[in-house]
Amino acid sequence: MKRLNQLALLCIALFFSQLAVGQSYDLQQLLKSGSLTVIDRKVTPLNDGGKKAVSFSDKSDAGGYALIKGLEFSEGTIEVDIKGKDVQGKNFVGVAFHAVPEDGKETAADIVYFRPFNFKSGEQIRRSHSVQYVSPPRWDWSELREKYTGKYENEIPSPPDPNGWFHARIEVKGKEITVYVDDAKEPCLKVTKLNDRTTGSVGIWVGYATNGDFANLTVTKSK
């Protein structure tokens, strides 16, 4: 009996040792310590609504990244608080992962991003473009929309305030990507990756003409 109890305790210990544990990141501290790789933008600290956030500068001709140096991510969950703006066609805010920056070349990455200006639009077609998956440089939103209409973007059933903070959770398991907003039990987007990368950098992202804000980044690795 004693031997069985010891085996049971060992199994329990092994089980809990393998549970994924999330790592929370203070984006302001990462910025201050030089632990972010910032691409095509300027990033500055921002305190807003009690959140210790960072804010991207605007730029009209390119997307921008802030990737955590030294953090390799394969599978798991990425969570972050995001604040955009209700400005038609000029606000694209999200998360990048499996990113591979190369000097002189466009960064290859998987990106899940949001268009806050579409969240509560009176037009159904615009609401259906609220959350988007892309895989640059091969697959951008325009080509995906043309060739796979409605497959890689969707509306958010209970949309947040387009001008306020909202919480995004992106789950990555193999080639499956699942996206949740705030405390929703059902995903607003579920897609299959469009590339064969299995690992890379992780961080935050904005599109052209965008100066979004981000706080409370947590990365939970499952392997």
Side-chain angles (χ1 to χ4, degrees):
M1 180 62 71
K2 183 177 181 180
R3 176 65 174 167
L4 288 175
N5 287 339
Q6 289 176 334
L7 287 173
L9 289 172
L10 178 60
C11 289
I12 292 171
L14 287 172
F15 171 77
F16 280 105
S17 69
Q18 294 176 11
L19 287 177
V21 178
Q23 174 66 53
S24 296
Y25 294 91
D26 182 332
L27 291 169
Q28 287 191 5
Q29 184 58 41
L30 290 177
L31 180 65
K32 182 179 179 181
S33 64
S35 299
L36 291 177
T37 298
V38 179
I39 303 170
D40 286 330
R41 280 299 192 279
K42 181 179 180 181
V43 178
T44 55
L46 170 74
N47 294 310
D48 181 36
K51 295 182 185 292
K52 293 178 63 179
V54 295
S55 182
F56 280 82
S57 64
D58 193 355
K59 189 177 181 180
S60 61
D61 61 351
Y65 298 79
L67 304 173
I68 302 175
K69 293 180 180 179
L71 176 61
E72 286 289 313
F73 175 82
S74 295
E75 294 187 359
T77 303
I78 306 163
E79 299 185 66
V80 67
D81 292 335
I82 303 174
K83 185 179 181 182
K85 294 180 180 179
D86 191 4
V87 181
Q88 175 62 35
K90 292 186 177 182
N91 198 245
F92 312 92
V93 285
V95 168
F97 56 95
H98 294 179
V100 183
E102 295 186 45
D103 289 339
K105 297 182 180 180
E106 183 177 353
T107 298
D110 290 285
I111 298 170
V112 171
Y113 72 90
F114 302 86
R115 301 182 178 100
F117 53 86
N118 285 333
F119 285 177
K120 295 189 176 184
S121 172
E123 302 175 34
Q124 173 60 44
I125 188 65
R126 282 183 51 194
R127 293 198 305 274
S128 69
H129 300 160
S130 292
V131 55
Q132 172 88 53
Y133 164 78
V134 292
S135 180
R138 174 61 184 89
W139 295 101
D140 66 13
W141 68 271
S142 57
E143 187 171 6
L144 290 174
R145 186 176 294 175
E146 179 183 354
K147 294 184 176 180
Y148 305 101
T149 304
K151 185 174 182 179
Y152 294 98
E153 58 185 334
N154 201 11
E155 70 177 298
I156 300 171
S158 298
D161 177 359
N163 291 301
W165 287 96
F166 65 94
H167 187 76
R169 184 171 93 251
I170 295 96
E171 297 179 355
V172 182
K173 185 176 183 181
K175 299 198 75 169
E176 186 177 89
I177 301 167
T178 310
V179 185
Y180 299 84
V181 168
D182 289 336
D183 57 357
K185 303 301 181 185
E186 296 297 324
C188 56
L189 187 68
K190 191 171 186 177
V191 298
T192 300
K193 274 171 57 73
L194 288 168
N195 59 73
D196 294 324
R197 290 188 308 277
T198 58
T199 190
S201 299
V202 59
I204 48 182
W205 175 92
V206 294
Y208 72 94
T210 298
N211 59 341
D213 306 330
F214 299 83
N216 300 324
L217 177 67
T218 299
V219 178
T220 304
K221 296 182 181 182
S222 59
K223 73 174 187 179

